[in-house]
Amino acid sequence: MKQLTSLQNPFVKSLVLLKEKAKVRQQTGTFLIEGQKEIYLALKAGYEILKILFYPGICSENEIKKWSANVELVQINKAIFEKLAYRDTTEGVIGIAKRKALSLSNLKLSANPLILIAESLEKPGNIGALLRTADAAKLDAVIIANPKGDLYNPNVVRSSIGCLFTNQIAIGTTTEVISFLEAHKIAIFCATLQD
């Protein structure tokens, strides 16, 4: 098993950039997931987990192997874990996952779907809250029109508490979303704070 012990390691530096920069997440097609529950939900949702980094001071190799049998494990030290972790209650594990294409055409809808559509979302915490609400309400899908933020931002993953992986999600322009809804004969109801 591979072990990482230096913050100066080029791979560790690339992971810090992956955590901090949306552009890097977009260019590499990857993102970080913190926490056992979140990684488990991502695996269950069909996300490809490339590697799982773990700090043995918090989580054991055997514990991780119970739910991630075929994923490469990399042991890291406390300094690296603290540098990569977005929060301090992450159970000692960080996954590196491949992004999914969040296309409207990938949505699988019921005969009479209930969909949450939000336009121009920017703040990761707000996106996470909407995803938690959609999961609790068992909505068919969440569509984000004209997103201003990165859906794979570590704070979205964290604040959604894994609901990023339990909801069907799509992204598009407002025009694309309206066309999609009209083509599927889905009634549109709007709410706004200003009017």
Side-chain angles (χ1 to χ4, degrees):
M1 176 192 323
K2 189 173 183 179
Q3 294 184 10
L4 297 173
T5 57
S6 171
L7 288 170
Q8 301 311 311
N9 180 293
F11 181 63
V12 173
K13 287 183 175 183
S14 74
L15 294 179
V16 172
L17 288 175
L18 191 62
K19 172 188 170 186
E20 296 174 351
K21 306 282 184 191
K23 185 177 179 180
V24 173
R25 291 189 292 274
Q26 198 168 32
Q27 287 172 342
T28 63
T30 59
F31 67 107
L32 298 180
I33 305 172
E34 291 183 52
Q36 293 182 33
K37 175 188 174 189
E38 289 83 350
I39 296 171
Y40 172 76
L41 290 172
L43 284 165
K44 193 173 170 185
Y47 277 81
E48 184 180 351
I49 308 297
L50 304 172
K51 291 180 184 1
I52 294 177
L53 289 69
F54 74 100
Y55 170 50
I58 300 174
C59 184
S60 75
E61 177 183 351
N62 291 335
E63 197 175 330
I64 298 167
K65 284 184 176 177
K66 289 177 189 173
W67 49 267
S68 64
N70 298 320
V71 180
E72 179 186 350
L73 298 181
V74 178
Q75 185 176 318
I76 58 176
N77 64 16
K78 185 176 182 179
I80 294 172
F81 176 72
E82 288 175 347
K83 185 76 173 171
L84 295 176
Y86 201 83
R87 53 191 174 159
D88 33 350
T89 56
T90 314
E91 305 157 322
V93 294
I94 299 171
I96 304 167
K98 278 194 170 182
R99 295 166 60 116
K100 278 189 175 182
L102 302 174
S103 168
L104 291 164
S105 62
N106 291 340
L107 294 178
K108 293 171 181 52
L109 302 175
S110 65
N112 188 22
L114 181 58
I115 302 169
L116 170 65
I117 300 164
E119 188 175 27
S120 301
L121 287 177
E122 182 175 2
K123 293 185 178 178
N126 291 346
I127 297 170
L130 287 176
L131 293 174
R132 291 192 316 271
T133 302
D135 182 74
K138 301 201 181 318
L139 299 184
D140 287 82
V142 175
I143 299 174
I144 301 174
N146 303 325
K148 302 290 184 204
D150 176 18
L151 203 61
Y152 292 109
N153 179 310
N155 197 23
V156 172
V157 177
R158 180 196 64 76
S159 66
S160 76
I161 314 172
C163 293
L164 174 64
F165 311 117
T166 60
N167 289 291
Q168 285 195 93
I169 302 170
I171 294 174
T173 66
T174 300
T175 303
E176 290 168 343
V177 172
I178 291 170
S179 296
F180 173 83
L181 297 172
E182 290 173 344
H184 288 82
K185 297 182 178 15
I186 298 170
I188 302 171
F189 299 91
C190 299
T192 179
L193 291 172
Q194 288 78 25
D195 298 329

